[in-house]
Amino acid sequence: MTLPVQARPTEGAGRRALWLAVAAVVMTLVLPLAGIVMAIFALVTSIRAIRTLRSIPKPAGTAVVGVVLSAGALLISLAVTALQFYFGDELAAYTECGRGAGTVASQNECVEQLERAMEKKMTFLQPGQVQFPFPP
């Protein structure tokens, strides 16, 4: 009589959590709204991996790094997404202005219009304080 093969899901739990956290960081940089979803998924997977790895005598260092990376990615993607929604009208106006800008001077004018519009929305700033080092 042969015994069935036992699958050991704990073997790659820490690595899987770490790879998902790295994917969450990349997704946050590429598309912040999707980064939120990926970071939550990576965070849940990392926490489950820590529990699984601690139930058996295995080190959980990679899963802990996964928790840290995915939590950081979640915070960054939430902040960037909130800023995109808050400055949505200003960014849309900048995009429209940039489409019609055919010269470098007109592109710089679009950037200046964006800077002034963002200053109006952030009332705690003085005029001229928002200056982008390069066009967004």
Side-chain angles (χ1 to χ4, degrees):
M1 177 169 138
T2 59
L3 295 173
V5 176
Q6 294 290 328
R8 294 190 292 180
T10 59
E11 289 296 319
R15 272 181 292 156
R16 186 172 36 253
L18 184 60
W19 279 112
L20 285 171
V22 169
V25 169
V26 170
M27 189 66 71
T28 295
L29 296 175
V30 174
L31 191 62
L33 195 57
I36 292 172
V37 175
M38 189 67 179
I40 290 172
F41 181 65
L43 189 61
V44 169
T45 303
S46 298
I47 291 170
R48 290 181 69 193
I50 290 173
R51 288 182 185 161
T52 303
L53 290 171
R54 288 201 175 150
S55 68
I56 60 171
K58 290 249 184 198
T62 54
V64 171
V65 172
V67 167
V68 170
L69 280 177
S70 57
L74 181 63
L75 291 175
I76 290 170
S77 58
L78 283 172
V80 169
T81 302
L83 285 174
Q84 284 178 340
F85 281 124
Y86 185 70
F87 292 117
D89 295 336
E90 289 79 7
L91 293 171
Y94 170 73
T95 303
E96 278 300 313
C97 180
R99 285 187 185 147
T103 63
V104 174
S106 60
Q107 290 173 351
N108 289 339
E109 181 62 33
C110 292
V111 172
E112 293 217 10
Q113 287 175 2
L114 175 63
E115 291 170 349
R116 298 304 79 81
M118 291 177 85
E119 286 172 355
K120 286 180 185 175
K121 202 136 190 194
M122 296 185 288
T123 57
F124 55 89
L125 293 177
Q126 299 295 324
Q129 277 189 316
V130 175
Q131 292 182 347
F132 296 120
F134 51 87

Short mmCIF file of all heavy atoms in Angstrom, two decimals, residues 7-25 38-53 56 58-70:
data_model
loop_
_atom_site.label_atom_id
_atom_site.label_comp_id
_atom_site.label_asym_id
_atom_site.label_seq_id
_atom_site.Cartn_x
_atom_site.Cartn_y
_atom_site.Cartn_z
N ALA A 7 1.69 17.24 -0.01
CA ALA A 7 2.17 18.53 -0.52
C ALA A 7 2.58 19.38 0.67
O ALA A 7 1.89 19.43 1.68
CB ALA A 7 1.08 19.22 -1.31
N ARG A 8 3.72 20.01 0.56
CA ARG A 8 4.20 20.86 1.63
C ARG A 8 4.12 22.32 1.18
O ARG A 8 5.04 22.83 0.54
CB ARG A 8 5.62 20.49 2.00
CG ARG A 8 5.68 19.09 2.61
CD ARG A 8 7.01 18.80 3.19
NE ARG A 8 8.01 18.70 2.14
CZ ARG A 8 9.28 18.46 2.35
NH1 ARG A 8 9.71 18.31 3.59
NH2 ARG A 8 10.13 18.38 1.37
N PRO A 9 3.03 22.99 1.49
CA PRO A 9 2.88 24.38 1.04
C PRO A 9 3.82 25.34 1.75
O PRO A 9 3.98 26.47 1.34
CB PRO A 9 1.43 24.70 1.35
CG PRO A 9 1.07 23.79 2.48
CD PRO A 9 1.88 22.54 2.27
N THR A 10 4.44 24.89 2.84
CA THR A 10 5.30 25.79 3.59
C THR A 10 6.66 25.98 2.96
O THR A 10 7.38 26.90 3.32
CB THR A 10 5.50 25.26 5.02
OG1 THR A 10 6.09 23.96 4.94
CG2 THR A 10 4.19 25.20 5.75
N GLU A 11 7.04 25.11 2.04
CA GLU A 11 8.37 25.20 1.45
C GLU A 11 8.64 26.56 0.82
O GLU A 11 9.68 27.14 1.03
CB GLU A 11 8.55 24.10 0.39
CG GLU A 11 8.66 22.72 0.95
CD GLU A 11 9.89 22.54 1.81
OE1 GLU A 11 10.96 23.04 1.45
OE2 GLU A 11 9.75 21.91 2.87
N GLY A 12 7.72 27.07 0.02
CA GLY A 12 7.95 28.33 -0.67
C GLY A 12 7.09 29.47 -0.18
O GLY A 12 6.95 30.48 -0.88
N ALA A 13 6.52 29.35 1.01
CA ALA A 13 5.60 30.39 1.50
C ALA A 13 6.30 31.73 1.66
O ALA A 13 5.78 32.77 1.27
CB ALA A 13 4.96 29.95 2.81
N GLY A 14 7.49 31.73 2.23
CA GLY A 14 8.22 32.98 2.45
C GLY A 14 8.65 33.61 1.13
O GLY A 14 8.52 34.82 0.94
N ARG A 15 9.17 32.78 0.22
CA ARG A 15 9.57 33.31 -1.09
C ARG A 15 8.38 33.84 -1.87
O ARG A 15 8.46 34.88 -2.52
CB ARG A 15 10.26 32.22 -1.91
CG ARG A 15 11.74 32.15 -1.66
CD ARG A 15 12.34 31.10 -2.51
NE ARG A 15 11.81 29.84 -1.97
CZ ARG A 15 11.70 28.72 -2.65
NH1 ARG A 15 12.08 28.66 -3.88
NH2 ARG A 15 11.22 27.63 -2.10
N ARG A 16 7.27 33.13 -1.81
CA ARG A 16 6.06 33.58 -2.51
C ARG A 16 5.59 34.92 -1.96
O ARG A 16 5.24 35.83 -2.73
CB ARG A 16 4.98 32.51 -2.37
CG ARG A 16 3.74 32.76 -3.16
CD ARG A 16 2.77 31.58 -3.14
NE ARG A 16 2.70 30.84 -1.89
CZ ARG A 16 3.20 29.62 -1.70
NH1 ARG A 16 3.85 29.00 -2.66
NH2 ARG A 16 3.07 29.01 -0.53
N ALA A 17 5.63 35.07 -0.65
CA ALA A 17 5.22 36.34 -0.03
C ALA A 17 6.15 37.47 -0.45
O ALA A 17 5.70 38.58 -0.75
CB ALA A 17 5.22 36.19 1.49
N LEU A 18 7.45 37.18 -0.50
CA LEU A 18 8.41 38.21 -0.89
C LEU A 18 8.23 38.60 -2.36
O LEU A 18 8.26 39.79 -2.70
CB LEU A 18 9.84 37.71 -0.65
CG LEU A 18 10.95 38.70 -0.93
CD1 LEU A 18 10.79 39.94 -0.06
CD2 LEU A 18 12.31 38.05 -0.71
N TRP A 19 8.03 37.65 -3.24
CA TRP A 19 7.82 37.97 -4.66
C TRP A 19 6.55 38.76 -4.88
O TRP A 19 6.51 39.68 -5.71
CB TRP A 19 7.81 36.70 -5.51
CG TRP A 19 9.18 36.20 -5.82
CD1 TRP A 19 9.77 35.06 -5.36
CD2 TRP A 19 10.16 36.84 -6.65
NE1 TRP A 19 11.04 34.97 -5.84
CE2 TRP A 19 11.31 36.04 -6.64
CE3 TRP A 19 10.16 38.02 -7.39
CZ2 TRP A 19 12.45 36.38 -7.35
CZ3 TRP A 19 11.30 38.35 -8.10
CH2 TRP A 19 12.42 37.54 -8.08
N LEU A 20 5.49 38.43 -4.16
CA LEU A 20 4.25 39.20 -4.29
C LEU A 20 4.45 40.62 -3.77
O LEU A 20 3.90 41.58 -4.34
CB LEU A 20 3.12 38.51 -3.53
CG LEU A 20 2.53 37.28 -4.21
CD1 LEU A 20 1.57 36.56 -3.27
CD2 LEU A 20 1.83 37.65 -5.49
N ALA A 21 5.24 40.79 -2.73
CA ALA A 21 5.50 42.13 -2.21
C ALA A 21 6.32 42.94 -3.20
O ALA A 21 6.05 44.13 -3.41
CB ALA A 21 6.23 42.04 -0.87
N VAL A 22 7.29 42.33 -3.84
CA VAL A 22 8.08 43.02 -4.87
C VAL A 22 7.17 43.39 -6.05
O VAL A 22 7.26 44.50 -6.58
CB VAL A 22 9.28 42.16 -5.32
CG1 VAL A 22 9.93 42.73 -6.56
CG2 VAL A 22 10.28 42.03 -4.19
N ALA A 23 6.29 42.49 -6.42
CA ALA A 23 5.34 42.79 -7.50
C ALA A 23 4.42 43.95 -7.10
O ALA A 23 4.06 44.78 -7.95
CB ALA A 23 4.52 41.55 -7.84
N ALA A 24 4.05 44.02 -5.84
CA ALA A 24 3.22 45.13 -5.36
C ALA A 24 3.96 46.45 -5.46
O ALA A 24 3.37 47.48 -5.83
CB ALA A 24 2.76 44.87 -3.93
N VAL A 25 5.25 46.45 -5.14
CA VAL A 25 6.04 47.67 -5.24
C VAL A 25 6.13 48.12 -6.70
O VAL A 25 5.94 49.30 -7.02
CB VAL A 25 7.46 47.46 -4.65
CG1 VAL A 25 8.37 48.62 -4.98
CG2 VAL A 25 7.37 47.26 -3.15
N MET A 38 -2.81 44.92 -5.36
CA MET A 38 -1.70 43.98 -5.28
C MET A 38 -1.04 44.03 -3.91
O MET A 38 -0.63 42.99 -3.37
CB MET A 38 -0.69 44.30 -6.38
CG MET A 38 0.39 43.30 -6.53
SD MET A 38 -0.32 41.76 -7.11
CE MET A 38 1.14 40.78 -7.22
N ALA A 39 -0.91 45.21 -3.32
CA ALA A 39 -0.28 45.33 -2.01
C ALA A 39 -1.13 44.66 -0.93
O ALA A 39 -0.59 44.03 -0.02
CB ALA A 39 -0.05 46.79 -1.68
N ILE A 40 -2.44 44.80 -1.01
CA ILE A 40 -3.32 44.13 -0.04
C ILE A 40 -3.18 42.62 -0.18
O ILE A 40 -3.06 41.89 0.81
CB ILE A 40 -4.78 44.59 -0.22
CG1 ILE A 40 -4.92 46.04 0.23
CG2 ILE A 40 -5.73 43.69 0.56
CD1 ILE A 40 -6.27 46.66 -0.08
N PHE A 41 -3.18 42.13 -1.41
CA PHE A 41 -3.01 40.70 -1.66
C PHE A 41 -1.67 40.21 -1.11
O PHE A 41 -1.58 39.17 -0.46
CB PHE A 41 -3.15 40.41 -3.15
CG PHE A 41 -3.02 38.98 -3.52
CD1 PHE A 41 -3.95 38.05 -3.11
CD2 PHE A 41 -1.95 38.55 -4.28
CE1 PHE A 41 -3.83 36.72 -3.44
CE2 PHE A 41 -1.80 37.22 -4.62
CZ PHE A 41 -2.75 36.30 -4.19
N ALA A 42 -0.60 40.97 -1.36
CA ALA A 42 0.72 40.59 -0.88
C ALA A 42 0.80 40.64 0.64
O ALA A 42 1.44 39.79 1.27
CB ALA A 42 1.78 41.49 -1.50
N LEU A 43 0.15 41.62 1.24
CA LEU A 43 0.15 41.75 2.69
C LEU A 43 -0.55 40.56 3.35
O LEU A 43 -0.03 39.97 4.31
CB LEU A 43 -0.51 43.06 3.10
CG LEU A 43 -0.40 43.47 4.56
CD1 LEU A 43 1.06 43.64 4.97
CD2 LEU A 43 -1.16 44.76 4.79
N VAL A 44 -1.70 40.19 2.83
CA VAL A 44 -2.43 39.04 3.38
C VAL A 44 -1.62 37.76 3.20
O VAL A 44 -1.50 36.94 4.12
CB VAL A 44 -3.82 38.92 2.70
CG1 VAL A 44 -4.48 37.60 3.03
CG2 VAL A 44 -4.70 40.08 3.11
N THR A 45 -1.03 37.58 2.03
CA THR A 45 -0.22 36.39 1.77
C THR A 45 0.99 36.35 2.69
O THR A 45 1.35 35.28 3.21
CB THR A 45 0.23 36.37 0.30
OG1 THR A 45 -0.93 36.42 -0.53
CG2 THR A 45 1.01 35.12 -0.01
N SER A 46 1.62 37.48 2.93
CA SER A 46 2.80 37.53 3.79
C SER A 46 2.44 37.21 5.24
O SER A 46 3.17 36.48 5.92
CB SER A 46 3.46 38.91 3.71
OG SER A 46 3.90 39.17 2.41
N ILE A 47 1.34 37.72 5.70
CA ILE A 47 0.91 37.44 7.08
C ILE A 47 0.58 35.96 7.24
O ILE A 47 0.95 35.33 8.23
CB ILE A 47 -0.28 38.34 7.48
CG1 ILE A 47 0.21 39.79 7.61
CG2 ILE A 47 -0.92 37.87 8.78
CD1 ILE A 47 -0.90 40.80 7.76
N ARG A 48 -0.09 35.40 6.26
CA ARG A 48 -0.40 33.97 6.31
C ARG A 48 0.87 33.13 6.25
O ARG A 48 0.97 32.09 6.91
CB ARG A 48 -1.34 33.59 5.18
CG ARG A 48 -2.75 34.15 5.39
CD ARG A 48 -3.68 33.75 4.30
NE ARG A 48 -3.91 32.32 4.40
CZ ARG A 48 -4.49 31.60 3.44
NH1 ARG A 48 -4.86 32.19 2.34
NH2 ARG A 48 -4.67 30.33 3.60
N ALA A 49 1.85 33.59 5.48
CA ALA A 49 3.11 32.86 5.40
C ALA A 49 3.85 32.89 6.73
O ALA A 49 4.46 31.89 7.13
CB ALA A 49 3.98 33.45 4.29
N ILE A 50 3.81 34.03 7.42
CA ILE A 50 4.45 34.11 8.73
C ILE A 50 3.80 33.12 9.70
O ILE A 50 4.50 32.38 10.41
CB ILE A 50 4.38 35.54 9.30
CG1 ILE A 50 5.29 36.46 8.51
CG2 ILE A 50 4.75 35.57 10.78
CD1 ILE A 50 5.17 37.93 8.88
N ARG A 51 2.50 33.08 9.72
CA ARG A 51 1.80 32.13 10.60
C ARG A 51 2.15 30.69 10.25
O ARG A 51 2.38 29.87 11.14
CB ARG A 51 0.29 32.34 10.50
CG ARG A 51 -0.19 33.59 11.15
CD ARG A 51 -1.69 33.70 11.05
NE ARG A 51 -2.14 34.97 11.56
CZ ARG A 51 -3.32 35.49 11.29
NH1 ARG A 51 -4.17 34.83 10.53
NH2 ARG A 51 -3.66 36.65 11.79
N THR A 52 2.18 30.40 8.96
CA THR A 52 2.48 29.04 8.53
C THR A 52 3.91 28.67 8.88
O THR A 52 4.17 27.56 9.37
CB THR A 52 2.28 28.91 7.01
OG1 THR A 52 0.94 29.27 6.69
CG2 THR A 52 2.56 27.51 6.54
N LEU A 53 4.85 29.57 8.64
CA LEU A 53 6.25 29.27 8.91
C LEU A 53 6.55 29.19 10.40
O LEU A 53 7.46 28.47 10.81
CB LEU A 53 7.15 30.31 8.23
CG LEU A 53 7.18 30.23 6.71
CD1 LEU A 53 7.92 31.42 6.13
CD2 LEU A 53 7.81 28.93 6.25
N ILE A 56 5.68 25.69 12.07
CA ILE A 56 6.72 24.67 11.93
C ILE A 56 8.06 25.34 12.21
O ILE A 56 8.17 26.55 12.15
CB ILE A 56 6.71 24.04 10.51
CG1 ILE A 56 6.96 25.10 9.46
CG2 ILE A 56 5.41 23.31 10.26
CD1 ILE A 56 7.17 24.55 8.08
N LYS A 58 10.60 26.78 10.98
CA LYS A 58 11.26 27.39 9.81
C LYS A 58 11.40 28.89 10.06
O LYS A 58 10.53 29.51 10.66
CB LYS A 58 10.40 27.18 8.56
CG LYS A 58 10.35 25.77 8.08
CD LYS A 58 11.08 25.70 6.79
CE LYS A 58 10.95 24.29 6.25
NZ LYS A 58 11.92 24.00 5.27
N PRO A 59 12.48 29.49 9.58
CA PRO A 59 12.62 30.95 9.73
C PRO A 59 11.63 31.69 8.85
O PRO A 59 11.34 31.28 7.73
CB PRO A 59 14.06 31.22 9.29
CG PRO A 59 14.46 30.05 8.48
CD PRO A 59 13.64 28.88 8.94
N ALA A 60 11.10 32.78 9.38
CA ALA A 60 10.07 33.55 8.67
C ALA A 60 10.60 34.90 8.20
O ALA A 60 9.82 35.82 7.99
CB ALA A 60 8.86 33.74 9.57
N GLY A 61 11.90 35.03 8.01
CA GLY A 61 12.50 36.31 7.65
C GLY A 61 12.02 36.84 6.32
O GLY A 61 11.73 38.04 6.18
N THR A 62 11.91 35.98 5.30
CA THR A 62 11.47 36.47 3.99
C THR A 62 10.02 36.92 4.03
O THR A 62 9.66 37.89 3.37
CB THR A 62 11.65 35.38 2.92
OG1 THR A 62 10.99 34.19 3.33
CG2 THR A 62 13.12 35.10 2.67
N ALA A 63 9.20 36.24 4.82
CA ALA A 63 7.80 36.65 4.93
C ALA A 63 7.67 37.97 5.68
O ALA A 63 6.81 38.79 5.35
CB ALA A 63 6.99 35.56 5.63
N VAL A 64 8.54 38.20 6.65
CA VAL A 64 8.52 39.48 7.38
C VAL A 64 8.94 40.61 6.44
O VAL A 64 8.34 41.69 6.45
CB VAL A 64 9.44 39.41 8.62
CG1 VAL A 64 9.60 40.78 9.26
CG2 VAL A 64 8.88 38.42 9.63
N VAL A 65 9.94 40.37 5.62
CA VAL A 65 10.34 41.37 4.62
C VAL A 65 9.18 41.62 3.66
O VAL A 65 8.94 42.75 3.23
CB VAL A 65 11.62 40.93 3.88
CG1 VAL A 65 11.92 41.85 2.73
CG2 VAL A 65 12.79 40.87 4.84
N GLY A 66 8.44 40.56 3.32
CA GLY A 66 7.27 40.71 2.47
C GLY A 66 6.21 41.60 3.09
O GLY A 66 5.59 42.41 2.41
N VAL A 67 6.01 41.46 4.40
CA VAL A 67 5.04 42.32 5.10
C VAL A 67 5.49 43.77 5.05
O VAL A 67 4.69 44.68 4.77
CB VAL A 67 4.86 41.86 6.56
CG1 VAL A 67 4.12 42.90 7.38
CG2 VAL A 67 4.12 40.54 6.62
N VAL A 68 6.77 44.00 5.30
CA VAL A 68 7.29 45.38 5.32
C VAL A 68 7.17 46.00 3.93
O VAL A 68 6.70 47.15 3.78
CB VAL A 68 8.75 45.39 5.81
CG1 VAL A 68 9.37 46.75 5.62
CG2 VAL A 68 8.81 44.97 7.27
N LEU A 69 7.59 45.27 2.89
CA LEU A 69 7.52 45.81 1.52
C LEU A 69 6.08 46.06 1.08
O LEU A 69 5.77 47.10 0.50
CB LEU A 69 8.19 44.85 0.53
CG LEU A 69 9.70 44.90 0.44
CD1 LEU A 69 10.20 43.84 -0.53
CD2 LEU A 69 10.16 46.26 0.01
N SER A 70 5.20 45.11 1.35
CA SER A 70 3.81 45.27 0.90
C SER A 70 3.10 46.38 1.69
O SER A 70 2.29 47.11 1.13
CB SER A 70 3.05 43.95 0.98
OG SER A 70 3.08 43.43 2.28
#
